[in-house]
Amino acid sequence: MVCATLCTMFSYGRDAYLFSYFRGEKDGLHLAYSYDGLHWHALNGNESLLKPEVGDDRLMRDPSIVQGPDGTFHMVWTSSWHDRIIGYSSSRDLIHWTEQRAIPVMADEPTASNCWAPELFYDEPTRTFYIFWATSIPGRHHSVGSLEGKDEWNHRIYCTTTKDFKSFTPTRLYFNPDFNVIDAAVVRIPGKRELIMVVKNETSNPAQKNIRLTRSRSMKRGFPTKVSAPITGKYWAEGPAPLYVGDTLYVYFDKYMEGRYGAVRSLDNGKTWTDVSDQVSFPEGIRHGTAFRVDDTLLRSLRIATGDKTCASTSLTRQGR
C-alpha cells in the first residue's frame, strides 16, 4: 500500500503522454511524461537518453518523434546549423535506438542554408510518413522584413514523404506563405478528417515571433497560406507542439526570451484559445520538442528502465500480489 501511494500518478489503463526535447545543443534526446497534459516530469533524471552522432555540428536540436502503426518510434532532429541533412533514428522502446543516419533532404539544393526543426507526422488515410522542415535558400523567395537587412534566413517549409524510411519522395516546397516561417507541426482533430498545422511567424521586422495556425483536410494537398491571427500573446514564442488530451487541444511552445515554456489551450478544436502558461510545469531547461500519446504500459516500462525507483517499487508490489 505504501508503494502504491507513493506513485499516485502511476495508473493502469490511462492515456499517457511523452514530450521529446533537448536542453543543450549537443546534449541529446530528453523525455518527459504527463498524464494530464499540464504537469510534465523528466525521465532519466533530466539527463540525455541518446547522444547525437550525425551532422557537421553533431547537434540534436528539436527532436520530433512519431509512432508508426507497427509500434516503432521514428525520430528526426536538427543535426547542424548549416547542413543540408537531418538526423534520423528509430526505436521500439525509446531506450534502444538504431544507428543514426543522415537523411539528405536538401541534397539537390546546393545553395540551401540549413534544415531546421524537422517534424514528423503519420497520415493514417494514406499510410504515409511526412517529414517537413524549414529551409532558407537565399534569393529563392520574395524578401520579408528582416532586422539583418538580408534574406539569408528567409525560411519556407519543405517536405518529403516515406513509407519505410528507406526510400523518400523528392523534396518539394510544402508551405509558402508571404512571411518568414519556421517550426511547422501538424495534428489531426480526433475522429475527423480535418488537420491543423501550427507554425511560427519568424518575421523580425516588424517583429512577429508568434504562433499561428492553418487548416486542411489533406496532407497531400497541403495547407492554405492564409493563417489565423496569433494564438500566442505579446511575447516571443517558438517550437509549437500540438497535442490532444481527450477533447482538449494544447499547443506548447518555448518562451525563449523568458527562458521558460508556455501553453495555450482550446476546447473547440482551435477556434478559440486560452493561455494556460501559468498552469503548466515542465522540466528545467526544456527546449523545442514534440508531444505525443503513448500506451501507459510502455510508459511504466520506460519509467522503470530510466530509474524511477518509486514506480519500480510500485511495480514489484503489484506483481507480488
Side-chain angles (χ1 to χ4, degrees), residues 49 73 151 247:
L49 290 157
F73 292 94
D151 67 349
D247 295 330

Side-chain angles (χ1 to χ4, degrees), residues 11-54:
S11 176
Y12 291 77
R14 295 175 59 185
D15 285 337
Y17 307 93
L18 288 176
F19 202 109
S20 61
Y21 62 99
F22 77 101
R23 296 182 71 195
E25 292 184 340
K26 298 186 178 183
D27 187 41
L29 171 66
H30 291 256
L31 292 174
Y33 71 91
S34 176
Y35 284 102
D36 62 5
L38 292 172
H39 305 94
W40 295 87
H41 309 274
L43 288 166
N44 202 41
N46 210 14
E47 296 295 326
S48 172
L49 290 157
L50 180 68
K51 298 292 185 179
E53 298 176 354
V54 298

Side-chain angles (χ1 to χ4, degrees), residues 38 250 262-265 274-280:
L38 292 172
Y250 288 93
V264 291
R265 178 171 64 194
T274 301
D275 196 307
V276 292
S277 297
D278 60 347
Q279 299 179 41
V280 296

Side-chain angles (χ1 to χ4, degrees), residues 36-99:
D36 62 5
L38 292 172
H39 305 94
W40 295 87
H41 309 274
L43 288 166
N44 202 41
N46 210 14
E47 296 295 326
S48 172
L49 290 157
L50 180 68
K51 298 292 185 179
E53 298 176 354
V54 298
D56 285 346
D57 299 326
R58 295 293 194 273
L59 306 182
M60 190 172 278
R61 295 174 60 94
D62 323 315
S64 173
I65 297 177
V66 69
Q67 189 173 23
D70 67 348
T72 300
F73 292 94
H74 302 273
M75 179 172 68
V76 293
W77 65 89
T78 304
S79 59
S80 178
W81 285 106
H82 299 286
D83 272 359
R84 289 179 287 138
I85 67 169
I86 60 175
Y88 168 77
S89 186
S90 64
S91 174
R92 295 290 297 184
D93 59 7
L94 298 172
I95 295 291
H96 304 93
W97 293 85
T98 59
E99 181 178 1

Side-chain angles (χ1 to χ4, degrees), residues 217-232:
R217 295 174 69 86
S218 168
M219 286 295 295
K220 185 176 182 179
R221 288 199 301 268
F223 290 80
T225 56
K226 183 178 180 180
V227 297
S228 71
I231 65 173
T232 49

Side-chain angles (χ1 to χ4, degrees), residues 10-311:
F10 192 51
S11 176
Y12 291 77
R14 295 175 59 185
D15 285 337
Y17 307 93
L18 288 176
F19 202 109
S20 61
Y21 62 99
F22 77 101
R23 296 182 71 195
E25 292 184 340
K26 298 186 178 183
D27 187 41
L29 171 66
H30 291 256
L31 292 174
Y33 71 91
S34 176
Y35 284 102
D36 62 5
L38 292 172
H39 305 94
W40 295 87
H41 309 274
L43 288 166
N44 202 41
N46 210 14
E47 296 295 326
S48 172
L49 290 157
L50 180 68
K51 298 292 185 179
E53 298 176 354
V54 298
D56 285 346
D57 299 326
R58 295 293 194 273
L59 306 182
M60 190 172 278
R61 295 174 60 94
D62 323 315
S64 173
I65 297 177
V66 69
Q67 189 173 23
D70 67 348
T72 300
F73 292 94
H74 302 273
M75 179 172 68
V76 293
W77 65 89
T78 304
S79 59
S80 178
W81 285 106
H82 299 286
D83 272 359
R84 289 179 287 138
I85 67 169
I86 60 175
Y88 168 77
S89 186
S90 64
S91 174
R92 295 290 297 184
D93 59 7
L94 298 172
I95 295 291
H96 304 93
W97 293 85
T98 59
E99 181 178 1
Q100 296 174 32
R101 291 194 283 123
I103 304 178
V105 291
M106 297 302 287
D108 293 334
E109 292 285 356
T111 62
S113 299
N114 58 335
C115 295
W116 285 357
E119 289 280 342
L120 281 169
F121 179 77
Y122 180 68
D123 188 45
E124 292 184 5
T126 60
R127 300 179 181 178
T128 301
F129 293 94
Y130 280 74
I131 311 174
F132 37 95
W133 63 92
T135 286
S136 182
I137 304 177
R140 177 64 57 85
H141 305 292
H142 69 271
S143 297
V144 295
S146 170
L147 293 177
E148 295 80 12
K150 55 183 179 181
D151 67 349
E152 179 183 2
W153 304 122
N154 184 11
H155 298 87
R156 297 299 186 273
I157 303 300
Y158 288 80
C159 168
T160 183
T161 66
T162 182
K163 291 183 181 292
D164 56 10
F165 289 90
K166 295 178 182 178
S167 61
F168 301 85
T169 59
T171 291
R172 65 185 176 97
L173 181 62
Y174 189 69
F175 186 64
N176 185 22
D178 60 356
F179 57 87
N180 183 0
V181 60
I182 64 173
D183 297 350
V186 172
V187 66
R188 185 181 297 277
I189 297 176
K192 298 182 181 295
R193 292 180 57 192
E194 190 171 14
L195 301 148
I196 294 173
M197 184 166 74
V198 288
V199 299
K200 179 189 179 184
N201 185 332
E202 177 68 346
T203 303
S204 59
N205 187 25
Q208 295 295 318
K209 311 292 187 178
N210 49 45
I211 309 302
R212 301 168 184 254
L213 64 84
T214 178
R215 300 172 185 269
S216 175
R217 295 174 69 86
S218 168
M219 286 295 295
K220 185 176 182 179
R221 288 199 301 268
F223 290 80
T225 56
K226 183 178 180 180
V227 297
S228 71
I231 65 173
T232 49
K234 294 182 179 180
Y235 43 76
W236 287 15
E238 68 180 13
L243 174 70
Y244 269 96
V245 178
D247 295 330
T248 301
L249 174 59
Y250 288 93
V251 174
Y252 310 100
F253 48 85
D254 191 346
K255 289 187 174 184
Y256 59 103
M257 298 298 287
E258 302 177 22
R260 63 192 183 95
Y261 243 69
V264 291
R265 178 171 64 194
S266 176
L267 304 179
D268 54 11
N269 295 321
K271 296 176 183 177
T272 58
W273 295 89
T274 301
D275 196 307
V276 292
S277 297
D278 60 347
Q279 299 179 41
V280 296
S281 58
F282 285 92
E284 181 180 0
I286 184 173
R287 300 291 306 279
H288 184 165
T290 53
F292 53 102
R293 188 179 66 83
V294 295
D295 186 273
D296 186 40
T297 302
L298 182 139
L299 178 55
R300 294 200 306 270
S301 298
L302 191 59
R303 293 178 68 180
I304 294 169
T306 55
D308 190 327
K309 295 180 180 178
T310 301
C311 287

